[in-house]
Amino acid sequence: MQIRLAAPADFEQIWPFFKEIVAAGETYAYPRDLTQQEAAALWMTAPRETYVVEQQGQLVGSYYLKTNQAGPGSHVCNAGYMVAEAARGQGVAAAMCAHSLERARALGYLAMQFNLVVSTNQGAIALWQKMGFDVVGRLPRAFAHPTAGYVDALVMYQWLAPSLSGEAG
Amino acid sequence: MQIRLAAPADFEQIWPFFKEIVAAGETYAYPRDLTQQEAAALWMTAPRETYVVEQQGQLVGSYYLKTNQAGPGSHVCNAGYMVAEAARGQGVAAAMCAHSLERARALGYLAMQFNLVVSTNQGAIALWQKMGFDVVGRLPRAFAHPTAGYVDALVMYQWLAPSLSGEAG
């Protein structure tokens, strides 16, 4: 498994699993009918950095990293992760999360925040907790789940200790 | 005190107090050196609606209302309020907040969320609580205050009961 910076052309390979995840409507607060062009703008252009996970020549995951708030809030970053269905259960999300935390430190961020983790997404919540995130907020009924109805969303947060690798951004 | 929809030209009168509030860097997660053009884009163009408070021919306050998250999160709105220093302590913020809650209901939103209320801004926190908001999250050291250093920020949230006025959006 190799994690590398995404090139614009990579979105052709990201789009199939991106589309599936967003159309399912269970985890991301994106319009379920997002077009490929809108998705590329959101995932590839707007963020500060976007990475892909390559496995035997195939892209099986991607994540973005961006500044969560401007000005006096700009020391906190935000990230989002997607894994192709066929590649789940192999530690791809954990590897991307660890990579993103290291990149965040290298870029000088002091904290990482997830603004909306759907409360029914128990696997993700457990993983983020294992990766050092705390649940710092609970938004009542803030997510319209396609089968469970209005469900709570969590705010998760991690203060970033200085990098151990000595990498500087 | 009259609250009405903002026209683009109104920003000339909003900018003096907007600039002062943002330059102070104590309450908003906007770049402290935002230009007038950037500020207008942020406050007047990006939101769904922007209102102004007029008092004896002068604009003394303004607020925006927008959708906080897309897709399955789009039933939750977000708002931001600014009051000119000379007009503080006269209930302008409370009047704007009440107006925004009514507008939110009329537009069909089911909840209102404030993503980042600086924990040192005790007056605002008390007012939002009085207006029906709950503190649903606390972001550790998420705001770089110019004198207090890194301070916590709160996430505040209110589920919106149906409108009493019968107004439909």
Side-chain angles (χ1 to χ4, degrees), chain B:
Chain B
M1 189 189 309
Q2 190 215 345
I3 302 181
R4 61 163 176 82
L5 265 175
D10 287 329
F11 200 71
E12 285 297 327
Q13 274 197 69
I14 296 170
W15 175 239
F17 62 85
F18 186 110
K19 182 183 179 175
E20 195 177 291
I21 289 165
V22 171
E26 296 175 354
T27 52
Y28 269 82
Y30 291 157
R32 291 175 67 179
D33 58 354
L34 210 61
T35 65
Q36 182 171 349
Q37 199 179 344
E38 290 165 339
L42 215 91
W43 197 261
M44 309 289 284
T45 312
R48 181 155 176 189
E49 293 186 342
T50 304
Y51 284 84
V52 289
V53 183
E54 205 164 346
Q55 217 169 28
Q56 290 150 348
Q58 289 253 311
L59 300 191
V60 296
S62 180
Y63 83 85
Y64 73 79
L65 187 68
K66 67 180 178 200
T67 303
N68 199 46
Q69 299 275 359
S74 62
H75 58 290
V76 181
C77 66
N78 165 252
Y81 313 84
M82 288 194 185
V83 180
E85 195 169 12
R88 290 190 196 152
Q90 299 168 31
V92 176
M96 285 196 290
C97 186
H99 191 274
S100 69
L101 289 167
E102 200 49 50
R103 279 306 299 156
R105 287 186 185 96
L107 291 166
Y109 290 110
L110 299 180
M112 188 181 286
Q113 179 176 329
F114 298 153
N115 299 306
L116 194 151
V117 181
V118 185
S119 59
T120 48
N121 195 1
Q122 292 294 341
I125 295 165
L127 178 57
W128 305 149
Q129 287 179 315
K130 198 174 145 187
M131 302 300 297
F133 287 84
D134 293 318
V135 174
V136 297
R138 188 174 190 102
L139 311 169
R141 304 166 72 191
F143 192 88
H145 190 281
T147 55
Y150 292 114
V151 297
D152 294 354
L154 307 181
V155 182
M156 300 187 74
Y157 193 91
Q158 176 167 187
W159 193 259
L160 301 174
S163 171
L164 296 175
S165 73
E167 194 179 356

Side-chain angles (χ1 to χ4, degrees), chain A residues 31-90:
Chain A
R32 293 175 68 179
D33 58 354
L34 210 61
T35 66
Q36 182 171 348
Q37 199 181 343
E38 290 165 338
L42 215 89
W43 197 262
M44 309 289 283
T45 312
R48 181 154 176 190
E49 293 186 345
T50 304
Y51 285 84
V52 288
V53 184
E54 205 165 347
Q55 217 169 27
Q56 290 151 348
Q58 289 254 311
L59 299 191
V60 297
S62 180
Y63 84 84
Y64 73 78
L65 187 68
K66 67 180 179 199
T67 302
N68 198 46
Q69 298 276 359
S74 62
H75 58 292
V76 182
C77 66
N78 166 252
Y81 314 84
M82 288 193 185
V83 179
E85 195 169 14
R88 290 190 197 153
Q90 298 169 29

